[in-house]
Amino acid sequence: IKYGLADRLFALMEQGDLDFAFVDAIEKNSILSFDEVYQEKLVLCCTKKYMATIEDKDINKKNIQKMSFITYFDDARIVLGWFKQSFRMSNINLYVSVYSKDAQGVFACIKNSMGFGVVPLHMTVEDRDELIIINPKYGTYRNKISLAYVEEKLENPLLNVIHQSFIHKFSTMTII
């Protein structure tokens, strides 16, 4: 089992060092195939402690520029995508206080009251009493999770059974 960002997992699969990966990105022009297995709901949240430090709590472009954000990538595409989908806002200037390599890092910073961040809803369940989750105005932002694999490898009966088991398991699973 390997844990990592999609680019690293794709490279391992293309080298033959990994048979399957659950990823939230799809690589075009690749030897890889993808089956979407579920969509996770992404939420913008912060701690109650952080929210108490903000004077005007209204979510608008002017106020957003005064807030701190924690993002996965230096281009803040996840946070910007959330605002575009959930509030129909674009061309936002964000103050990014922390960059993290993954959702766990973003959530750790959120829990330490370092700002707002976008994380999968299921990560927030245990900490709901300490968090403020911003309700979208227009629609829920979702992250598509796919099972990545090399199609040719499914000719191996064992790998084919594993692939089918993954697909069956996720098709019957309830995800928050």
Side-chain angles (χ1 to χ4, degrees):
I1 295 176
K2 302 275 185 195
Y3 176 78
L5 296 175
D7 291 346
R8 179 172 173 258
L9 298 176
F10 291 157
L12 290 170
M13 294 178 76
E14 288 171 350
Q15 295 165 10
D17 295 331
L18 188 64
D19 294 321
F20 298 100
F22 289 99
V23 295
D24 64 352
I26 292 178
E27 184 176 277
K28 294 179 171 68
N29 301 321
S30 167
I31 63 168
L32 303 177
S33 296
F34 300 88
D35 292 332
E36 184 180 317
V37 290
Y38 72 97
Q39 293 184 14
E40 61 185 0
K41 182 177 180 180
L42 298 180
V43 295
L44 178 71
C45 64
C46 70
T47 60
K48 291 177 181 175
K49 180 179 176 182
Y50 178 77
M51 186 62 97
T53 68
I54 298 172
E55 285 181 40
D56 189 347
K57 296 166 180 37
D58 188 37
I59 302 295
N60 59 49
K61 278 189 179 184
K62 180 182 168 196
N63 291 341
I64 290 168
Q65 293 178 34
K66 299 174 191 172
M67 299 171 181
S68 294
F69 289 88
I70 303 135
T71 69
Y72 304 98
F73 306 103
D74 28 347
D75 63 4
R77 70 185 101 161
I78 304 274
V79 176
L80 293 171
W82 189 92
F83 277 110
K84 186 174 183 177
Q85 172 66 40
S86 303
F87 279 82
R88 294 191 179 145
M89 288 185 196
S90 54
N91 301 319
I92 301 170
N93 294 319
L94 296 178
Y95 170 68
V96 178
S97 58
V98 179
Y99 295 106
S100 175
K101 67 176 185 163
D102 57 28
Q104 291 77 10
V106 169
F107 195 54
C109 292
I110 292 169
K111 290 192 325 184
N112 282 292
S113 301
M114 297 173 73
F116 283 94
V118 174
V119 293
L121 177 64
H122 63 84
M123 291 181 77
T124 67
V125 172
E126 291 180 16
D127 299 292
R128 284 279 164 80
D129 293 341
E130 302 167 29
L131 297 174
I132 293 177
I133 295 176
I134 306 301
N135 291 317
K137 214 177 200 180
Y138 296 104
T140 301
Y141 192 55
R142 296 187 183 275
N143 191 26
K144 294 179 182 177
I145 305 298
S146 297
L147 175 64
Y149 56 96
V150 178
E151 184 80 37
E152 293 173 358
K153 285 192 170 191
L154 296 186
E155 293 172 12
N156 176 316
L158 177 59
L159 293 179
N160 192 19
V161 167
I162 293 169
H163 173 261
Q164 292 305 316
S165 296
F166 280 141
I167 298 301
H168 175 72
K169 181 66 176 172
F170 278 95
S171 68
T172 60
M173 214 165 116
T174 301
I175 303 196
I176 298 176

